[in-house]
């Protein structure tokens, strides 16, 4: 027998469990089960897959021609409604697939029920998601190319402009502005190759794998694969419906790219500061302060720097979703999309913002040159000269150079400002020729090894990349 106290406890428990769900467990199940709130983004891909499937069912004689035509026309109507913003998405219908199919039935009636012949929601969602991710990889390809071209323009303009190169954010050796820009061309070029590799690897079609074991209907999977731009059908039906490597690989490539964007954004934040003044960012990608009128804040760069956290997080989240799943499909895999959608949105936004900043920014040549000669940046050139001209072991040359740096530091000057006698105090063999290597212009011009900072080498790399991007 249940007493009033038990009834009250049960009521309280239900209220705590149900919370905002006034209709009880059914409403809770609908809320946790539905994905239409986010997977409606795949509407175009879902309809493309259905159109290809219907055409194949007609070509193989599984469906009558009049049914295929009705399905084709009905799907085009559904797509136009979605694109116009007139489509009544329903959480009760769970996902984009059921929403489209239900609306198709309202439009064309009985033939709509034949569309699902020879397929399952398992292969359908895998196909939709692959098509969507493939579109994002193509968009990333375009975005990376635009950024690389903007960097090439900057590099070409300043191929011989000297600036400090850093290690540990300490002045190390002089380099050129063009060389520094080309370092990011190489980084984003690797990102571009990863995007293209991922696209090539993922380009097999899950459609026709059905729930997990294939189908007894005489379907033509090669026909649907070709119609959707895939290279071939996926070769194993179990793997086809359970594979999300393509999404993980996209997130991996996106994470590395976002990390590169963040590194560059950090440099732009530093370079645009009053202490450096290496670059001036345009007003289009900066903001003012609400209280300090002199401020020009590099907000776009700072936000790009922060975006990497969201993209890294998406990669980790999907890895956690997939790590414990047996073959084949589990409902856990419904959690595969939101983080991918978010990562793709933020990566494309960051790429566009960085391309805009690079296109608009002005490198301050005078500030770069002034900083290039500071911090004893040509000390390594002095050590190299001692080895090359006097034949000293490098360790001895390193020690001699260090003593001259200490002397210059004590005098409050740079190495080129020391007298010849002061130079000779460290080693009698030093001659006046040493001063030829101590200027920053001479330093960068001497770095002629392949991939070095000499302007001739920088221009050669720019030409190589222009040819690659043609």
């Amino acid at each position: 027998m249940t007493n009033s106290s038990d009834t009250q406890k049960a009521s309280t428990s239900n209220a705590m469990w149900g919370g905002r769900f006034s209709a009880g467990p059914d409403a809770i199940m609908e809320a946790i089960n539905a994905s239409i709130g986010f997977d409606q983004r795949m509407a175009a891909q879902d309809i493309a897959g259905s159109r290809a499937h219907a055409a194949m069912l007609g070509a193989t004689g599984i469906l009558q021609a009049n049914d295929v035509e009705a399905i084709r026309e009905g799907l085009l109507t559904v797509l136009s409604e979605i694109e116009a913003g007139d489509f009544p998405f329903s959480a009760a219908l769970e996902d984009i697939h059921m929403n489209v199919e239900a609306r198709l039935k309202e439009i064309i009636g009985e033939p709509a029920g034949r569309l699902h012949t020879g397929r399952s929601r398992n292969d359908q969602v895998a196909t939709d998601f692959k098509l969507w991710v493939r579109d994002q990889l193509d968009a990333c390809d375009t975005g990376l190319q635009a950024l690389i071209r903007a960097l090439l323009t900057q590099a070409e303009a300043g191929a011989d402009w000297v600036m400090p190169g850093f290690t540990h954010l300490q002045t190390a050796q002089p380099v050129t502005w063009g060389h520094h820009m080309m370092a990011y061309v190489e980084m984003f070029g690797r990102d571009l190759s990863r995007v293209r590799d991922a696209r090539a690897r993922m380009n097999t079609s899950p459609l026709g794998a059905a729930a997990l074991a294939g189908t007894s209907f005489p379907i033509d999977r090669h026909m649907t694969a070709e119609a959707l731009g895939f290279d071939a059908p996926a070769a194993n039906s179990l793997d086809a419906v359970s594979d999300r490597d393509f999404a993980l690989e996209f997130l991996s490539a996106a994470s590395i790219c976002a990390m590169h964007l963040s590194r560059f954004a950090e440099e732009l934040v530093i370079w645009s500061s009053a202490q450096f003044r290496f670059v001036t960012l345009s007003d289009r990608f900066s903001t003012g302060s609400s209280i300090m009128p002199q401020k020009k804040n590099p907000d776009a760069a700072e936000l790009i720097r922060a975006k990497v956290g969201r993209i890294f997080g998406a990669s980790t989240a999907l890895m956690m979703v997939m790590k414990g799943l047996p073959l084949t499909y589990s409902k856990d895999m419904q959690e595969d999309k939101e983080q991918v959608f978010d990562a793709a949105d933020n990566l494309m936004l960051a790429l566009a913002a960085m391309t805009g900043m690079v296109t608009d920014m002005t490198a301050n040549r005078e500030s770069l040159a002034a900083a290039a000669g500071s911090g004893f940046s040509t000390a390594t050139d002095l050590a190299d000269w001692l080895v090359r001209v006097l034949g000293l072991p490098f360790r001895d040359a390193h020690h001699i150079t260090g003593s001259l740096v200490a002397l210059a530091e004590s005098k409050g000057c740079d190495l080129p400002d020391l007298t010849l006698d002061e130079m000779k105090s460290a080693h009698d063999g030093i001659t006046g020729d040493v001063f030829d290597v101590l200027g920053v212009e001479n330093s960068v011009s001497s770095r002629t090894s392949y991939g070095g900072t000499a302007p001739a080498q920088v221009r050669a790399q720019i030409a190589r990349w222009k040819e690659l991007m043609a």
Side-chain angles (χ1 to χ4, degrees):
M1 180 176 179
T2 303
N3 61 34
S4 60
S5 176
D6 291 337
T7 302
Q8 185 177 8
K9 287 178 181 177
S11 176
T12 303
S13 175
N14 285 338
M16 290 176 64
W17 175 47
R20 61 183 287 271
F21 299 98
S22 59
D26 289 347
I28 295 170
M29 186 59 199
E30 179 180 302
I32 197 170
N33 196 46
S35 59
I36 190 59
F38 51 86
D39 70 11
Q40 61 184 262
R41 291 187 63 165
M42 301 191 303
Q45 289 79 16
D46 188 73
I47 290 171
S50 290
R51 291 181 64 193
H53 186 67
M56 179 275 296
L57 292 176
T60 54
I62 298 170
L63 290 189
Q64 297 295 318
N66 58 329
D67 286 341
V68 173
E69 180 61 20
I71 290 169
R72 188 187 75 83
E73 291 295 329
L75 287 172
L76 289 175
T77 299
V78 173
L79 181 60
S80 67
E81 290 177 353
I82 292 172
E83 291 177 341
D86 297 330
F87 190 88
F89 291 108
S90 168
L93 292 170
E94 296 184 14
D95 55 31
I96 186 61
H97 327 298
M98 297 304 293
N99 270 263
V100 169
E101 188 172 327
R103 179 61 182 137
L104 183 64
K105 186 174 183 180
E106 291 175 354
I107 296 170
I108 68 172
E110 185 182 350
R114 298 191 176 98
L115 172 60
H116 212 51
T117 305
R119 72 174 184 184
S120 161
R121 275 198 290 178
N122 291 356
D123 62 331
Q124 189 178 0
V125 69
T127 302
D128 292 359
F129 198 21
K130 263 199 174 184
L131 290 171
W132 193 90
V133 170
R134 192 177 70 183
D135 288 345
Q136 301 313 300
L137 288 167
D138 289 342
C140 287
D141 190 306
T142 300
L144 282 164
Q145 287 191 62
L147 177 54
I148 288 169
R149 289 191 173 95
L151 288 163
L152 287 171
T153 299
Q154 285 283 355
E156 193 164 30
D160 57 359
W161 297 0
V162 292
M163 67 174 289
F166 298 94
T167 62
H168 309 279
L169 204 55
Q170 306 294 313
T171 299
Q173 294 177 273
V175 295
T176 61
W177 171 259
H179 197 50
H180 202 112
M181 293 298 101
M182 291 304 294
Y184 282 104
V185 168
E186 293 293 330
M187 283 191 198
F188 293 119
R190 290 193 296 273
D191 291 325
L192 183 58
S193 70
R194 273 184 284 271
V195 163
R196 291 175 175 176
D197 285 348
R199 193 194 193 284
R201 193 161 22 256
M202 61 90 74
N203 206 35
T204 58
S205 173
L207 193 58
L212 75 161
T215 178
S216 59
F217 289 97
I219 62 172
D220 185 346
R221 294 190 62 211
H222 288 84
M223 179 180 174
T224 52
E226 183 178 356
L228 293 170
F230 289 111
D231 296 328
N236 184 284
S237 61
L238 297 172
D239 179 57
V241 298
S242 62
D243 168 38
R244 293 298 183 270
D245 287 3
F246 60 91
L248 287 165
E249 196 164 357
F250 167 70
L251 290 175
S252 177
S255 294
I256 297 171
C257 181
M259 176 269 292
H260 289 156
L261 289 167
S262 182
R263 292 184 72 180
F264 195 14
E266 171 70 2
E267 293 205 313
L268 294 181
V269 170
I270 293 170
W271 289 353
S272 62
S273 68
Q275 289 72 28
F276 275 73
R277 300 185 186 277
F278 283 4
V279 299
T280 301
L281 300 178
S282 76
D283 292 346
R284 294 201 310 150
F285 294 97
S286 307
T287 64
S289 167
S290 62
I291 190 172
M292 295 167 284
Q294 83 282 7
K295 293 286 293 301
K296 185 175 182 180
N297 300 323
D299 282 4
E302 292 171 354
L303 288 166
I304 289 171
R305 189 173 57 186
K307 292 293 185 188
V308 68
R310 295 174 68 156
I311 297 171
F312 280 8
S315 181
T316 302
L318 183 54
M319 194 72 77
M320 292 302 99
V321 167
M322 297 301 298
K323 72 173 183 63
L325 299 187
L327 297 180
T328 55
Y329 182 82
S330 296
K331 195 67 170 181
D332 311 49
M333 292 166 71
Q334 185 167 291
E335 293 295 311
D336 60 358
K337 297 172 192 67
E338 286 182 280
Q339 53 263 34
V340 177
F341 293 161
D342 185 74
D345 290 346
N346 281 283
L347 179 63
M348 291 309 303
L349 184 58
L351 277 170
M354 183 60 80
T355 301
M357 280 193 294
V358 172
T359 300
D360 287 2
M361 74 179 178
T362 302
N364 301 324
R365 186 174 183 180
E366 293 76 15
S367 296
L368 292 169
S374 66
F376 309 106
S377 65
T378 56
T380 305
D381 296 279
L382 173 56
D384 288 347
W385 185 88
L386 293 170
V387 172
R388 188 173 59 253
V389 176
L390 301 187
L392 297 179
F394 184 81
R395 287 300 169 200
D396 292 348
H398 187 282
H399 178 76
I400 292 167
T401 301
S403 68
L404 288 171
V405 167
L407 176 61
E409 196 169 32
S410 69
K411 292 173 61 66
C413 67
D414 209 340
L415 285 172
D417 301 319
L418 294 175
T419 66
L420 179 58
D421 287 341
E422 287 169 333
M423 289 278 190
K424 292 175 75 68
S425 70
H427 191 282
D428 285 340
I430 295 177
T431 68
D433 292 341
V434 73
F435 292 100
D436 292 339
V437 303
L438 294 182
V440 291
E441 302 283 352
N442 291 332
S443 175
V444 297
S445 295
S446 71
R447 307 288 173 180
T448 56
S449 58
Y450 183 83
T453 194
Q457 280 294 324
V458 172
R459 292 188 175 99
Q461 293 301 325
I462 292 169
R464 179 177 72 88
W465 270 99
K466 281 187 168 183
E467 185 174 345
L468 288 172
M469 298 296 290

